Amino acid sequence: MLRVCRAVLGAGPDADDAWSETFLAALKAWSTLDEETNIQAWLVRVAQRKAIDITRSAARQAIPVDELPEALVETARDAHDHELWARVAALPEQQRLAIAYHYLGGLTHVETAELLAKTPEAVRRAAADGMKTLRKNHEQ
């Protein structure tokens, strides 16, 4: 679920918050789930909604600061991860969500299509186009 949150929000504290909120919400609603519920798809949907909530909340709030924060020291892996998440975040929304849910969330294209209210073919195409863009940008 953390990968899905990072794909939607980018790496950082917002994604971590969405991930935490996902499991808090899941625990609260757990007893009301039907036995036939696809738990993985349900958790991805909860994560998506929590990520959207954080995005909306951040858009409405200004964050004043007196001083600029000190620069963070990053390892090579951290820098690569941030670059990857930045490239994923730069994808068009449908491609980003298709990649997040299918490749990072482990959902099938059919399950992803249900979440996005699209056809499985459209989700498959969006995921393929997004992966093509990511590979192309990586080679440059």
Side-chain angles (χ1 to χ4, degrees):
M1 294 303 103
L2 180 58
R3 289 181 183 169
V4 171
C5 292
R6 284 181 175 168
V8 175
L9 294 167
D14 286 343
D16 295 340
D17 289 346
W19 180 73
S20 297
E21 291 293 325
T22 297
F23 287 100
L24 289 173
L27 285 172
K28 288 178 184 176
W30 187 259
S31 63
T32 64
L33 290 179
D34 293 332
E35 289 183 22
E36 296 85 30
T37 300
N38 179 332
I39 301 298
Q40 189 173 9
W42 178 72
L43 282 172
V44 168
R45 184 67 167 175
V46 173
Q48 176 198 19
R49 289 180 178 160
K50 292 303 175 184
I52 289 169
D53 289 347
I54 287 174
T55 301
R56 288 179 181 157
S57 175
R60 292 188 299 253
Q61 297 176 356
I63 303 173
V65 295
D66 292 331
E67 297 179 26
L68 293 175
E70 294 181 28
L72 297 175
V73 177
E74 295 181 341
T75 65
R77 179 177 166 91
D78 289 341
H80 173 73
D81 286 349
H82 286 293
E83 291 171 17
L84 174 61
W85 293 122
R87 287 195 303 267
V88 171
L91 291 172
E93 182 180 19
Q94 292 301 312
Q95 291 178 11
R96 184 178 68 246
L97 294 176
I99 286 173
Y101 297 158
H102 180 69
Y103 292 104
L104 303 175
L107 300 179
T108 66
H109 290 304
V110 172
E111 293 167 332
T112 301
E114 290 173 9
L115 289 174
L116 299 177
K118 303 287 180 188
T119 65
E121 294 77 20
V123 169
R124 187 175 290 111
R125 181 79 262 153
D129 290 346
M131 290 300 289
K132 181 179 178 182
T133 300
L134 290 174
R135 286 185 186 112
K136 181 181 172 184
N137 291 344
H138 180 67
E139 292 171 359
Q140 294 178 353

